[in-house]
Amino acid sequence: MTQALIERLEAIIVDLPTIRPHKLAMHTMQRQTLVILRLRCSDGIEGLGEATTIGGLAYGNESPESIKANLEAHFAPLLIGQDACNVNAAMQRLDKAIKGNTFARSAVETALLDAQGKRLGLAVSELLGGRVREGLEVAWTLASGDTARDIEEAERMLDLRRHRIFKLKIGANALEQDLKHVVAIKRALGERASVRVDVNQYWDESQAIRGCQVLGENGIDLIEQPISRINRAGQVRLNQRSPAPIMADESIESVEDAFSLAADGAASIFALKIAKNGGPRAVLRTAQIAEAAGIALYGGTMLEGAIGTLASAHAFLTLRQLTWHTELFGPLLLTEEIVTEPPVYRDFQLMVPNAPGLGLSLDEERLKRFRRP
Ligand code: MUC
Ligand code: MG
């Protein structure tokens, strides 16, 4: 094969409006900010990647602005002139020189895979070993902040056959108020839907003991990150006593975190996120740790747009087990797109293109309109 070299990296910040405010315990989103990476190669092929977080620095320790700055100042000089066809070698070069920065790393790994897939005429899922399922069932997050509005939204999603798994974002309100909110939604939806919660680390252990008990007894299927990632011993205790399974999300900031959580027995489900592991290949290493430890899997999101969503989807399609399905609904939260063909959601599933690479192209006119000056 002719060798292609990496020629140029361009990181673009894009601000896109959301369909409604999205209320999480740590931040209310009024829009979503994506960092899009364009990686140009000497054979004329361009790979696309995305590094997207939630609420600036409210969620993790990389912001859109720091991701862009680090891609330009630290990642680009290490990558330019390197073989664009060898993803392992390029990522290993970054591993040697750069600590952390998994969001930026994920954008690079995605863009290299997209470029290589386009070059070889293979979908990213094929480059990752091949898909073992065609579609991915997708949960929807109810996060308007209002119980009646959330029930109405869930009913609409069921009618449209778009979602039948709902995740409720709680933790910002008083414990009893949040519990009432969740139980009311579960009662309204009954057996027609799976209802889960994400506390985003906002309970202390004493609140979590009661919260997990009440939610477990009221038919809530899963409790995501009830307490701080720092309180490992508390997570182990909760994992032993909660009637509903506990999922680790913020606790996983690297593949190594996944290993130590598994070793400690701190969760029975892992939320897989390409951004928090360093890319679609990296997230599969976390999945393998989980499988070896008997931990179930869930395909998570940082509310990425189409590029990050499909990059995650290509990886998740290759998983042997995905017991808790996915929440790859990021594009549906946005009112505008910057790709020519937005991802398709049908019959509760995200349909993943089988075209070369991620199966996406940028809409240059829209990118120009929404990119930050
Ligand atoms: C998170 O904490 O899981 C995923 C869905 C959503 O609404 O927020 C994200 C982040
Ligand atoms: Mg979460």
Side-chain angles (χ1 to χ4, degrees):
M1 187 174 36
T2 3
Q3 234 210 356
L5 302 181
I6 301 171
E7 269 187 358
R8 178 161 184 257
L9 277 81
E10 185 188 9
I12 303 165
I13 299 186
V14 179
D15 294 303
L16 296 175
T18 53
I19 54 169
R20 55 154 165 72
H22 195 66
K23 255 175 112 75
L24 294 84
M26 83 304 277
H27 176 76
T28 299
M29 292 166 57
Q30 307 286 353
R31 61 175 188 181
Q32 179 58 312
T33 300
L34 322 179
V35 183
I36 304 300
L37 178 65
R38 308 183 81 152
L39 184 142
R40 294 287 307 176
C41 307
S42 59
D43 55 358
I45 290 179
E46 179 180 75
L48 299 175
E50 179 179 341
T52 290
T53 187
I54 295 170
L57 282 170
Y59 193 101
N61 44 28
E62 288 168 79
S63 69
E65 296 75 15
S66 78
I67 291 167
K68 177 175 160 61
N70 287 333
L71 282 169
E72 290 169 353
H74 299 283
F75 285 73
L78 289 165
L79 292 168
I80 289 167
Q82 299 299 307
D83 183 357
C85 307
N86 191 334
V87 183
N88 286 338
M91 295 312 292
Q92 201 173 311
R93 191 169 160 83
L94 297 180
D95 289 345
K96 283 196 187 131
I98 295 176
K99 303 247 178 332
N101 287 275
T102 56
F103 285 68
R105 201 181 285 271
S106 175
V108 171
E109 194 177 276
T110 300
L112 286 167
L113 288 167
D114 182 40
Q116 183 69 347
K118 286 171 176 162
R119 192 170 289 124
L120 299 178
L122 291 173
V124 168
S125 51
E126 306 310 314
L127 289 182
L128 295 173
R131 44 180 85 187
V132 294
R133 47 178 68 79
E134 273 315 305
L136 295 165
E137 178 141 5
V138 178
W140 178 250
T141 295
L142 299 170
S144 73
D146 177 82
T147 310
R149 200 169 154 194
D150 279 358
I151 293 173
E152 207 180 287
E153 199 171 292
E155 292 288 0
R156 202 167 58 247
M157 297 304 174
L158 285 167
D159 286 348
L160 288 170
R161 293 182 59 79
R162 220 177 69 181
H163 309 278
R164 57 188 168 190
I165 303 172
F166 299 101
K167 165 160 141 175
L168 315 189
K169 302 299 272 187
I170 59 172
N173 300 317
L175 177 65
E176 297 306 319
Q177 187 186 338
D178 268 347
L179 296 179
K180 244 176 79 190
H181 169 75
V182 177
V183 172
I185 293 176
K186 177 61 192 168
R187 290 219 173 111
L189 302 177
E191 294 309 307
R192 292 177 298 148
S194 169
V195 176
R196 306 154 179 199
V197 299
D198 188 357
V199 192
N200 284 118
Q201 318 186 76
Y202 262 61
W203 286 341
D204 62 31
E205 193 177 349
S206 71
Q207 294 171 308
I209 289 170
R210 172 161 168 76
C212 292
Q213 193 64 37
V214 171
L215 295 180
E217 283 166 358
N218 281 278
I220 302 312
D221 290 329
L222 180 164
I223 300 172
E224 180 173 341
Q225 199 70 44
I227 61 172
S228 165
R229 69 184 303 276
I230 305 300
N231 185 0
R232 174 64 62 85
Q235 289 172 75
V236 174
R237 285 187 289 270
L238 279 177
N239 194 40
Q240 284 164 356
R241 69 187 291 176
S242 172
I246 303 288
M247 179 159 82
D249 180 9
E250 283 90 334
S251 293
I252 308 174
E253 284 186 354
S254 63
V255 178
E256 292 75 15
D257 277 344
F259 177 76
S260 78
L261 284 162
D264 289 352
S268 59
I269 309 168
F270 280 177
L272 298 174
K273 296 190 176 178
I274 59 169
K276 293 205 281 142
N277 289 271
R281 281 155 72 259
V283 86
L284 295 180
R285 290 201 284 275
T286 284
Q288 277 153 13
I289 290 167
E291 279 196 7
I295 292 168
L297 295 175
Y298 177 72
T301 180
M302 287 305 296
L303 303 177
E304 291 100 340
I307 296 169
T309 296
L310 284 191
S312 309
H314 279 283
F316 300 160
L317 285 176
T318 70
L319 291 170
R320 207 186 295 224
Q321 58 104 344
L322 194 56
T323 309
W324 294 85
H325 305 287
T326 79
E327 57 180 13
L328 292 178
F329 69 89
L332 297 170
L333 193 61
L334 305 173
T335 59
E336 302 286 346
E337 268 300 343
I338 49 150
V339 293
T340 51
E341 284 175 49
V344 176
Y345 293 83
R346 188 189 324 130
D347 262 337
F348 307 111
Q349 308 237 332
L350 164 63
M351 312 313 291
V352 188
N354 219 341
L358 295 171
L360 285 172
S361 351
L362 286 173
D363 181 327
E364 300 292 347
E365 191 275 319
R366 289 175 156 268
L367 182 67
K368 211 157 126 196
R369 176 137 54 103
F370 293 108
R371 70 185 290 165
R372 210 178 269 184

